[in-house]
DNA sequence: CGAGCAATTGACCGGCGTCAATGGGCGTGG
DNA sequence: CCACGCCCATTGACGCCGGTCAATTGCTCG
């Protein structure tokens, strides 16, 4: 859609928007987006960026690093709903839901760009198509969660793990962060356990099995897929729900 | 907000909108909503209303009955994502996502009201606050799924079942369909199994246990809660995520 | 009244949880 | 630069929640 694929130099908010837009943005729309005031911050690994119960007056886009959305039960059990890659706007929902029902944590050290809700509302009133586009972003994020739920409800640990690998390699690939089917993998096994709805012990066993099957390798925080077709088959992975244009 | 509580006589689309709006709708906005052209249809029990892969040019609101959103794996396993009560707009997402990633089925016989996407887009351009309100609806629906995912990922069958009872009694109560903590319950046990991520056999065992604990009774398609506090405790139920005003 | 599915219950099984012990990587501080 | 501590990772033994299989009963509806 935009001639080059220079994810690094493009404006952060355009990374994802460009990849999901169904029409060509006008130069006015593009300019309006690019001049949104954005406050950049760094978040250390394992720190919460926002917390359940917060009432934010701004949302953020992830500039670099990997983050996770999670909820906890009253008894302290934790479930990761989805992971976020650069370009995502993980708490965009707070634009229209005052109280956050989820927490978002930095998995690796992250850079984030905060944008005031008021600025976004003003932008969307002036450019309705942009508002619809960001609405679309929240709908796609919701589709990720639904697919993830099908995963945890109806597939075993082996297929779930394979599916998570497929999804993240695809999404990181879409923003240029998984060349050669290989990417940084900052999640620890206890964190993966919270995403998959199993225990850390069983995560270890499952990864052992995926390695033994020759599908992936995972060492020193780096994931490499050796057999993409095999992984896709094990996961029953169908990327349609990601709404990524090829 | 609107003096009376007459769910039956109010315009269908206002049922839910009124219950989640954070501001008083102007009479112009109300009138514009009420004159949206709506095509009413009846759907038999166990029929799909829309299917995964469809590219609808309209969305629908549920006028009466109970429906479910579900997805299936390639190997045919089925996972229910959420149930819908009268007033909901279950496939509103199709307004901005062309291809449906989910199917929606009528559990009991349903009446539904179809509204063309073009009519909604026109309405939202003329009344931006209404557009934001419907955006809010999709965000709340997404929050239901997230809570449901915490459920399937991190609670056992007993707590999951209790949580589903709590959620639906609360949501049906909000539209006047669960007086005295009692409501129609058209879902069969095989259907509940697909919602809870367990087998029909285990649904039967779990309901037996909930009855034995004196929390509910469930006979001839009717649910009655006998011990609300006990059910809430068993489920760790916190209705905040429902965004229903008290 | 019969067909077909829902519901129930028992017997048995297996995937994943729990508990525990060991080794490894990394940051901090002496 | 090494020692220590802490958490991640791995593996084995064993237990339990929920799955599987099968038989029986009960509804509901043509």
């Amino acid at each position: 859609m935009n001639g080059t694929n220079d994810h690094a130099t493009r404006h952060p908010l355009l990374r994802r928007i460009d990849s999901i837009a169904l029409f060509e943005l006008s130069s006015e729309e593009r300019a309006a987006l690019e001049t949104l005031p954005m406050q950049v911050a760094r978040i250390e690994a394992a720190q919460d960026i926002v917390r359940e119960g917060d009432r934010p007056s701004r949302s953020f886009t992830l500039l670099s690093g990997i983050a996770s959305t999670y909820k906890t039960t009253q008894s302290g059990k934790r479930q990761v709903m989805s992971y976020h890659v650069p370009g995502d706007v993980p708490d965009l929902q707070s634009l229209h839901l005052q109280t956050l029902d989820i927490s978002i944590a930095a998995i690796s050290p992250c850079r984030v760009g905060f944008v005031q809700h008021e600025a976004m509302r003003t932008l969307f009133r002036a450019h309705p198509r942009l508002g619809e586009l960001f609405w679309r972003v929240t709908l796609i994020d919701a589709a990720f969660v639904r697919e993830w739920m099908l995963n945890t409800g109806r597939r075993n640990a082996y297929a779930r793990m394979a599916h998570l690998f497929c999804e993240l390699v695809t999404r990181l690939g879409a923003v240029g962060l998984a060349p050669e089917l290989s990417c940084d993998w900052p999640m620890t096994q206890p964190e993966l356990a919270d995403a998959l709805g199993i225990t850390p012990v069983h995560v270890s066993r499952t990864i052992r099995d995926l390695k033994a099957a020759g599908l992936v390798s995972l060492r020193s925080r780096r994931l490499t897929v050796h057999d993409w077709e095999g992984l896709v088959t094990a996961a029953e992975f169908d990327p349609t729900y990601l709404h990524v244009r090829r």
Side-chain angles (χ1 to χ4, degrees), chain A residues 94-115:
Chain A
S94 63
L95 183 62
H96 292 301
L97 292 184
Q98 327 82 287
T99 305
L100 271 183
D101 66 313
I102 46 103
S103 302
I104 303 177
I107 302 287
S108 55
C110 288
R111 282 190 317 122
V112 302
F114 289 103
V115 179

Side-chain angles (χ1 to χ4, degrees), chain A residues 33-246:
Chain A
L33 242 181
E34 286 175 341
T35 55
L36 264 185
M38 181 178 284
Q39 182 197 342
V40 177
R42 290 174 185 277
I43 315 281
E44 288 175 45
Q47 297 299 303
D48 283 340
I49 305 174
V50 294
R51 282 212 182 81
E52 187 172 346
D54 284 358
R55 302 171 69 88
S57 62
R58 55 187 191 176
S59 290
F60 70 89
T61 180
L62 194 55
L63 303 175
S64 68
I66 289 188
S68 74
T69 288
Y70 69 92
K71 285 173 75 91
T72 51
T73 65
Q74 289 169 22
S75 54
K77 279 173 284 187
R78 193 168 169 276
Q79 175 71 45
V80 170
M81 306 283 141
S82 57
Y83 287 110
H84 305 288
V85 305
D88 288 357
V89 194
D91 70 339
L92 184 50
Q93 52 160 306
S94 63
L95 183 62
H96 292 301
L97 292 184
Q98 327 82 287
T99 305
L100 271 183
D101 66 313
I102 46 103
S103 302
I104 303 177
I107 302 287
S108 55
C110 288
R111 282 190 317 122
V112 302
F114 289 103
V115 179
Q116 292 294 323
H117 287 158
E118 266 319 297
M120 300 183 77
R121 275 191 261 269
T122 304
L123 175 70
F124 298 159
R125 294 280 165 102
H127 301 279
R129 294 205 310 177
L130 287 180
E132 291 167 8
L133 209 42
F134 276 82
W135 187 349
R136 184 169 153 85
V137 169
T138 63
L139 294 172
I140 293 175
D141 289 346
F144 292 178
V145 176
R146 286 192 295 267
E147 179 67 25
W148 194 239
M149 174 153 179
L150 177 61
N151 228 14
T152 57
R154 287 299 179 195
R155 293 197 252 255
N156 63 18
Y158 187 82
R160 273 183 241 177
M161 190 81 237
H163 200 283
L164 178 55
F165 286 154
C166 286
E167 173 175 328
L168 272 180
V169 166
T170 302
R171 288 172 61 195
L172 286 166
V175 288
L177 294 174
E180 315 280 328
L181 295 180
S182 180
C183 62
D184 286 335
W185 193 265
M187 293 78 117
T188 65
Q189 292 187 5
E191 269 157 351
L192 290 175
D194 288 338
L196 298 166
I198 58 180
T199 58
V201 172
H202 203 62
V203 170
S204 178
R205 294 193 271 239
T206 306
I207 292 180
R208 188 226 301 140
D209 295 345
L210 283 162
K211 286 175 178 171
L215 301 182
V216 301
S217 66
L218 182 54
R219 297 189 314 275
S220 54
R221 302 284 111 95
R222 183 144 199 103
L223 171 74
T224 304
V225 178
H226 295 303
D227 178 0
W228 177 253
E229 285 311 317
L231 197 62
V232 163
T233 302
E236 294 190 327
F237 180 70
D238 173 354
T240 309
Y241 72 99
L242 293 176
H243 289 266
V244 173
R245 275 202 323 276
R246 322 262 82 205

